[in-house]
């Protein structure tokens, strides 16, 4: 990423150009990203191609002022962090779903980030309602965050009976409020490794992304605003929810524009045959 592109990205998320790649800077950048760049799967239902190439991801997030899902958001954010001097490694995860079942390989993309002053941290701007700030990868105790109470622990056995390990490339478990969120491999990956996962999530009838519409971001008060189809939900920092149904197309388009900064010509709908 060229310096001008990094500056444009920083303007997109409302952050100043940092002097050093420190823990505090990473915390600010992750929060600003969550506040301004929505987690959304609209491309799947708008017939837009999802290409896991740095240039295309940055063009979407910065140029088109859109969001995306994990591969896109963490892929683009990782490119920005690298350009700012952070040490960035792409990590693959498998998300826990119904009945605590693990998802497909390369189900999720997260970032191991090394700063000049604080060791390794887990940065993730692509997991919907998750931590607002990076998590310390080597810390095994509770980590308090506005998004909940988190732990990063050595993983137990996976469905194949493979046990986690505290050593090199051992699997970790990311836990929120006592519930496992995803199993994280610590072996370094490259962006192209996630192509099959992105394809599956954007085409398979078994993927929840093909069966629903979502657009969501953190709000300035620490809550969250989410548009699921025509249902607008505003969640306060105390967890209280206010839900409304948007009947008119213009109200839906206004919500995308005013709540998420996304300008659309027509209301996206779940594609036929995907449900």
């Amino acid at each position: 990423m060229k310096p001008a592109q990094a500056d444009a990205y920083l303007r997109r998320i409302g952050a100043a150009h940092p002097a050093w790649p420190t823990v505090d800077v990473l915390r600010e950048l992750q929060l600003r990203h969550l506040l301004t760049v929505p987690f959304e799967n609209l491309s799947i239902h708008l017939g837009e191609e999802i290409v896991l190439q740095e240039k295309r991801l940055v063009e979407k997030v910065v140029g088109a002022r859109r969001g995306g899902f994990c591969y896109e958001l963490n892929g683009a954010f990782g490119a920005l962090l690298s350009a700012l001097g952070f040490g960035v490694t792409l990590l693959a995860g498998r998300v826990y779903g119904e009945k605590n079942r693990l998802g497909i390989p390369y189900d999720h993309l997260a970032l191991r980030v090394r700063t000049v002053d604080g060791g390794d941290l887990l940065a993730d701007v692509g997991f919907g309602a998750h931590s607002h700030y990076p998590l310390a990868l080597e810390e095994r105790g509770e980590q308090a965050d506005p998004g909940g109470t988190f732990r990063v622990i050595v993983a137990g056995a996976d469905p194949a009976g493979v046990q986690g390990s505290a050593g090199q490339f051992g699997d970790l478990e990311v836990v929120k409020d006592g519930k496992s969120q995803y199993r994280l491999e610590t072996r370094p990956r490259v962006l192209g490794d996630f192509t099959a996962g992105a394809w599956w999530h954007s085409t398979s009838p078994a993927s929840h992304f093909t069966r629903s519409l979502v657009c969501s971001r953190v709000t300035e008060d620490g809550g969250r605003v989410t548009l699921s189809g025509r249902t607008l939900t505003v969640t306060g920092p105390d967890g209280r929810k206010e839900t409304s149904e948007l009947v008119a197309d213009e109200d839906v388009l206004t919500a995308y524009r005013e709540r998420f900064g996304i300008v659309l010509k027509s209301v996206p709908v779940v594609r036929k045959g995907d449900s």
Side-chain angles (χ1 to χ4, degrees), residues 24 34 47 84 127 143 145 155 160 179 188 191 202 216-217 219 248 252 260 263:
D24 286 344
L34 293 170
L84 296 177
F127 196 66
Q143 301 187 49
D145 182 271
K179 183 177 180 181
L191 193 56
S202 57
S216 183
R217 67 170 180 83
T219 52
V252 177
F260 306 102
V263 178

Side-chain angles (χ1 to χ4, degrees), residues 68 183 210 225 235-236 238 250 275:
R183 185 183 181 102
T210 63
V225 57
T235 304
D238 58 359
E250 184 55 38
S275 58

Side-chain angles (χ1 to χ4, degrees), residues 94-103 157-159 173-175 178-183:
R94 297 177 68 187
V95 179
Y96 284 95
E98 295 180 2
K99 298 182 180 180
N100 217 34
R101 293 173 180 167
L102 282 170
D158 68 9
E173 197 97 346
V174 180
V175 181
K179 183 177 180 181
S180 294
Q181 303 297 291
Y182 54 84
R183 185 183 181 102

